[in-house]
Amino acid sequence: MRKFNFSAGPCTLPVEVLHEAEQEFVDYHGAGMSLMEMSHRSAAYDEVHRGAMDRAKSVFEVPDDFEVLFLGGGATLQFAMVPLNLLTPDTRGGYVDSGAWGKKAIADGSHHGEVYVAWSGAGDGYVRMPRPEDVRLEPDTRYLHVTSNETIHGIRFPEFPDLGVPLVGDMSSDYMSRAIPWELFDVVYGGAQKNLGPAGVDITFVRRSVLEHTNRELASYLRYDVHASSASLHNTPPVFAIYMVGKVLTWMEQRGGLGAFEAESAKKAAMLYEAIDGSDGFYRSPVDPAYRSHMNIVFRLPDEALEKQFLAAAAARDMVNLKGHRSVGGVRASIYNAMPLAGVEALVELMGEFRADA
């Protein structure tokens, strides 16, 4: 029996996709070898690669004026690649410090261009995202970097700010679980290991007009235009991760696409927040309700001893990886696209029983 895996990442994957990959792993479509053993220039892999690229754009409803790039290094490498490619000596990048991942983007980006903090939630303990009027842009701002969903603190942008400068979005932990207003963005990126596949590949969307003006004075792997011109085959790509992403995207298509998953995410999150809010304070969410994540639901119990007991009770019922991040503690239920509704129902049932018995 498979466990309900509430890990923040790497996360649960669709069991149908895992079984399909299992059947193909040793002998891919009668080739007598695994796809993982084939050349990335082979016809078999080329079909997988380009199919995954096409599905990434179609599932996420990406306009035609964006290129999709499959890159190594995860979202973390993009903390550097964004300023390296987009900033010039006379421009700067504005950043929203919305939590752990926003802070990392600022720290890494500061090595590669002039960046500044346009808003910080640190003083409030990262319990909300900024309202548009909270963000302070400086002159010559090339872009505003936002983290759409902060995995650790359990907050998200319910709507993205339209402030007259292009947005750059790290969407790692709610990638392809929600529609986004593409007209506001120049770059969207994220690691695949939350909603789209195993760790190992970052998916970056870059507006084509931006590619015409990116920095050329970089090592080739760090250049967006190089990857775009070579269809993300500049070097050997992360073949297995891309292969799995393509299968997950097909699985999403077969189940109604982005709109269906956005609705399902809202439904699952609402069930958990209802259990929290209806517990007379036994469970409590530190997050401003207007900014609650649909992917990472964080909550506390009356004390740490009860939290440990709750986590043990969950593990006994095959619900695992519910412990909150070490920096904030508590409980965190990550309910990405492949988390079945039955997993959320089981967790809500446990929450009710545990509270009654405490």
Side-chain angles (χ1 to χ4, degrees):
M1 176 181 176
R2 279 176 59 82
K3 298 177 186 289
F4 290 124
N5 177 16
F6 290 92
S7 174
C11 67
T12 192
L13 292 172
V15 67
E16 303 95 323
V17 169
L18 294 173
H19 282 312
E20 186 177 332
E22 177 185 34
Q23 295 301 312
E24 295 178 347
F25 193 79
V26 174
D27 185 359
Y28 183 74
H29 293 191
M33 66 178 74
S34 172
L35 184 73
M36 309 313 118
E37 300 171 284
M38 295 182 192
S39 168
H40 62 291
R41 308 293 182 185
S42 67
Y45 177 69
D46 190 68
E47 181 180 12
V48 168
H49 185 91
R50 295 180 187 276
M53 295 179 78
D54 290 344
R55 288 188 183 91
K57 293 190 70 173
S58 64
V59 168
F60 210 18
E61 302 172 356
V62 183
D64 289 339
D65 59 336
F66 279 80
E67 292 281 357
V68 56
L69 312 178
F70 289 155
L71 305 171
T76 300
L77 182 58
Q78 295 310 306
F79 297 162
M81 286 185 72
V82 166
L84 281 169
N85 280 269
L86 269 59
L87 291 183
T88 59
D90 57 349
T91 61
R92 63 191 70 185
Y95 282 72
V96 170
D97 171 17
S98 52
W101 296 106
K103 287 176 65 176
K104 288 179 184 290
I106 295 165
D108 282 2
S110 67
H111 295 294
H112 305 292
E114 185 178 349
V115 306
Y116 67 93
V117 177
W119 179 84
S120 176
D124 295 327
Y126 298 119
V127 297
R128 70 175 181 92
M129 292 292 190
R131 296 176 292 271
E133 60 269 24
D134 295 332
V135 179
R136 295 288 180 261
L137 295 178
E138 297 183 1
D140 302 317
T141 296
R142 170 63 183 83
Y143 61 81
L144 177 68
H145 182 284
V146 297
T147 308
S148 61
N149 183 88
E150 282 282 358
T151 322
I152 292 173
H153 295 92
I155 59 175
R156 75 165 192 155
F157 274 98
E159 296 180 352
F160 294 102
D162 183 357
L163 299 173
V165 300
L167 299 182
V168 172
D170 174 2
M171 295 197 70
S172 294
S173 55
D174 61 355
Y175 226 171
M176 300 198 195
S177 71
R178 61 188 296 192
I180 66 167
W182 286 99
E183 69 276 7
L184 298 181
F185 287 85
D186 271 359
V187 179
V188 170
Y189 67 87
Q193 66 272 14
K194 313 290 188 179
N195 271 330
L196 298 171
V201 63
D202 161 88
I203 305 173
T204 294
F205 298 96
V206 185
R207 192 179 294 277
R208 287 198 178 99
S209 59
V210 171
L211 290 169
E212 297 172 5
H213 304 286
T214 51
N215 184 7
R216 267 51 172 175
E217 299 301 318
L218 298 172
S220 59
Y221 191 85
L222 298 175
R223 288 173 50 179
Y224 285 147
D225 66 306
V226 168
H227 291 288
S229 65
S230 60
S232 296
L233 291 165
H234 172 64
N235 67 328
T236 306
V239 169
F240 179 71
I242 293 170
Y243 160 79
M244 290 295 289
V245 164
K247 288 190 176 298
V248 171
L249 290 169
T250 299
W251 174 82
M252 290 181 66
E253 286 179 330
Q254 293 169 346
R255 282 152 185 79
L258 189 64
F261 280 91
E262 185 167 15
E264 182 79 358
S265 295
K267 179 180 179 180
K268 291 186 294 189
M271 291 175 61
L272 278 170
Y273 288 124
E274 183 177 349
I276 293 167
D277 295 339
S279 70
D280 294 326
F282 184 81
Y283 303 107
R284 55 184 174 82
S285 168
V287 177
D288 183 323
Y291 301 93
R292 286 173 166 176
S293 172
H294 288 187
M295 296 284 104
N296 312 104
I297 286 73
V298 297
F299 59 95
R300 302 302 302 255
L301 278 72
D303 56 57
E304 292 185 5
L306 279 172
E307 288 173 352
K308 290 180 180 179
Q309 293 173 30
F310 179 82
L311 294 171
R317 296 195 189 186
D318 291 327
M319 289 179 276
V320 298
N321 294 316
L322 280 159
K323 186 176 181 180
H325 191 270
R326 60 186 178 275
S327 64
V328 296
V331 180
R332 173 175 58 179
S334 295
I335 51 173
Y336 299 121
N337 285 349
M339 170 57 66
L341 184 62
V344 178
E345 291 171 339
L347 180 56
V348 168
E349 181 180 5
L350 171 64
M351 291 170 71
E353 294 177 5
F354 188 86
R355 175 192 168 206
D357 294 339

